[in-house]
Amino acid sequence: AQTVTQSQPEMSVQEAETVTLSCTYDTSESDYYLFWYKQPPSRQMILVIRQEAYKQQNATENRFSVNFQKAAKSFSLKISDSQLGDAAMYFCAYRRGISNFGNEKLTFGTGTRLTIIP
Amino acid sequence: KAGVTQTPRYLIKTRGQQVTLSCSPISGHRSVSWYQQTPGQGLQFLFEYFSETQRNKGNFPGRFSGRQFSNSRSEMNVSTLELGDSALYLCASSTEGSEQFFGPGTRLTVL
């Protein structure tokens, strides 16, 4: 079974600074996807960024980027120029690859609560 | 496109009752997944439906069930409610190989 571990229950960062959230995972599969989701106080789960395991290039979405280390099974999220609106719970999630047809199940980590200090 | 919608947004029930939650996926999405979120257990997968068929099921008792209709809308049902069923229930939809898009959730409180 796949597991996802987020070892930082809480993090804080000064506005405009950079913060990195950690995530490690365990799987025996070679085809999979990794995601970072953001859940603000409204509880709406919002996709931040996605990484396909077969891609060596790290995904980037504006101020959000990942450091994907496949051999180490590590998938960290870097938020640059932190903004007040970035305050939320951040969840790392794993999903088996498309080759495993019919498995849309996401396995989530326990989350990291990010606080932005004005 | 309209996002994933869930109804009702809030629900209060008493122990022993049953409840039905509804989820309407994004237009064109045929896969609907359900998750339970609690402070103690975090986010846990309940089940996933595709073209009216349950393709995957999480480790929940048989009191939790679901179905999907021909228009891809999905419902989940919890019978004989227990206090521990109090949670945020999230629905997500996707197309094959794409990321899941989540609805706003239904907050269920069991008294």
Side-chain angles (χ1 to χ4, degrees), chain A:
Chain A
Q2 297 80 27
T3 59
V4 178
T5 301
Q6 293 179 251
S7 59
Q8 305 156 315
E10 296 184 354
M11 293 279 286
S12 61
V13 63
Q14 293 277 353
E15 195 176 0
E17 295 296 307
T18 296
V19 65
T20 299
L21 308 184
S22 300
C23 172
T24 59
Y25 60 96
D26 189 28
T27 183
S28 58
E29 299 174 333
S30 59
D31 182 22
Y32 54 88
Y33 295 85
L34 296 166
F35 305 88
W36 279 97
Y37 280 90
K38 166 186 176 181
Q39 189 178 43
S42 67
R43 310 299 276 176
Q44 176 83 49
M45 195 76 78
I46 302 164
L47 177 68
V48 174
I49 202 165
R50 140 189 177 147
Q51 175 79 44
E52 292 88 340
Y54 64 86
K55 289 187 176 179
Q56 292 186 339
Q57 186 172 7
N58 290 324
T60 299
E61 287 288 342
N62 301 312
R63 298 183 295 107
F64 299 87
S65 62
V66 298
N67 183 4
F68 174 47
Q69 300 290 326
K70 191 171 183 178
K73 295 180 181 175
S74 169
F75 182 61
S76 60
L77 174 70
K78 186 172 83 170
I79 306 174
S80 303
D81 186 26
S82 298
Q83 300 176 359
L84 294 177
D86 296 333
M89 280 290 286
Y90 285 81
F91 292 96
C92 179
Y94 170 101
R95 201 199 81 193
R96 298 173 72 187
I98 193 171
S99 60
N100 296 294
F101 179 75
N103 195 334
E104 298 288 325
K105 170 187 174 181
L106 286 170
T107 300
F108 287 91
T110 51
T112 296
R113 182 175 302 281
L114 179 64
T115 300
I116 311 297
I117 303 168

Side-chain angles (χ1 to χ4, degrees), chain B residues 8-13 19-21 106-110:
Chain B
R9 293 293 309 277
Y10 302 92
L11 207 48
I12 299 175
K13 292 285 187 180
V19 67
T20 298
L21 312 182
T106 294
R107 168 76 66 186
L108 171 65
T109 301
V110 182

Side-chain angles (χ1 to χ4, degrees), chain B residues 1-47:
Chain B
K1 275 185 179 178
V4 178
T5 58
Q6 292 187 245
T7 57
R9 293 293 309 277
Y10 302 92
L11 207 48
I12 299 175
K13 292 285 187 180
T14 56
R15 281 183 298 174
Q17 288 187 310
Q18 77 166 25
V19 67
T20 298
L21 312 182
S22 181
C23 171
S24 293
I26 291 171
S27 177
H29 287 191
R30 295 164 66 190
S31 172
V32 173
S33 299
W34 289 89
Y35 297 85
Q36 181 196 65
Q37 186 175 23
T38 60
Q41 299 298 317
L43 281 150
Q44 293 187 287
F45 172 78
L46 279 157
F47 27 64

Side-chain angles (χ1 to χ4, degrees), chain B residues 75-91:
Chain B
E75 289 181 346
M76 68 163 281
N77 183 277
V78 187
S79 62
T80 319
L81 284 166
E82 300 177 359
L83 295 178
D85 297 333
S86 294
L88 180 69
Y89 289 89
L90 293 167
C91 164

Side-chain angles (χ1 to χ4, degrees), chain B residues 67-81:
Chain B
R67 60 177 176 169
Q68 187 180 33
F69 302 94
S70 58
N71 62 358
S72 294
R73 189 177 70 85
S74 177
E75 289 181 346
M76 68 163 281
N77 183 277
V78 187
S79 62
T80 319
L81 284 166

